[in-house]
Amino acid sequence: MERRMREGYEGTGPGAITPDGCAVELYARLPVGDEPDVIAAAVPARARILELGSGVGRMTHALLERGFEVTAVDESAEMLERVRGARTICGPVERLDLGETFDVVLLASFLVHAGDVEVRRGMLRTCVRHLAKGGCVLIQREGEDYHTDVPRERVDPAGFTVRIVSAEPVGDGVDSVHAEYVFPDATWTQTFRARPLTREQFEEALAEAGLTVERYLTEDRMWVKAVPVSAT
């Protein structure tokens, strides 16, 4: 089946490749980090979570194990086939409208850095649209040197290497980022477009959507708890 890729995105390697260049088989191998603990510490126990861009369910499954009720959303049906124990919704995050609300809306995987400003605006509107009264949005930002500390690589204890090979400007403040994931038996690459955002630019983007930072959850300010401006 022919797959329409998002402009500026591509991926190589074994298995299905999603419209934003992610390899399903790769993400099925990647371990989950400390993100579920960060999330669990920031929200009420057993909260209803809308996870936007869930992929194969790395965080979904960890959150389910911690007692949360999760609705997982992704535009890739192949990704969602790997999700177990959660309700799944297939479709673009930026156009999602379920007609219901959640205690927590989760926008991880640096999705807030989408190269297309309208896609970012759509994603943040989706967050606000699905937020219950008294709820919060948890957002994962890029590290402050993500686009400048290149090339770089990290060897994971699980035995694979992640390389950010390059981040090249393509105009309008957007970079084309090229990443490699090297395993003993396979290699995947992904090229995607990302817009660097300073802390001030990030907070301005939230304000445009009617959100404000309640607090930064980690010392590196990569995880953020945001709430509607009307709630402050």
Side-chain angles (χ1 to χ4, degrees), residues 6 8 18 21 42 62 74 81 99 114-116 118 135 155 158 183 195-196 213 222 227 229:
R6 289 179 179 258
T18 68
D74 202 276
E81 286 174 359
D116 186 329
E118 289 306 315
V155 178
F183 286 73
R195 181 179 297 274
V213 173
M222 288 179 65
V227 295
V229 174

Side-chain angles (χ1 to χ4, degrees), residues 44-58:
R46 311 193 71 82
R48 295 182 67 239
I49 297 177
L50 177 64
E51 183 186 4
L52 303 175
S54 66
V56 297
R58 287 184 304 147

Side-chain angles (χ1 to χ4, degrees), residues 141 197-209 211-213 216 221 224:
R141 304 171 59 219
L197 297 172
T198 65
R199 180 176 176 179
E200 291 75 17
Q201 289 170 332
F202 168 72
E203 292 183 2
E204 287 171 1
L206 293 189
E208 183 184 36
L211 293 168
T212 188
V213 173
Y216 288 90
R221 295 194 293 273
V224 186

Side-chain angles (χ1 to χ4, degrees), residues 12 23-24 57 60 70 74 84 88 91 139 147 159 169 180 186 188-189 204 209 214 220:
T12 67
V24 176
T60 315
V70 184
D74 202 276
R84 298 289 180 267
T88 60
I139 300 172
H147 292 255
E180 296 178 350
W188 286 270
T189 73
E204 287 171 1
E214 181 179 278
D220 57 15

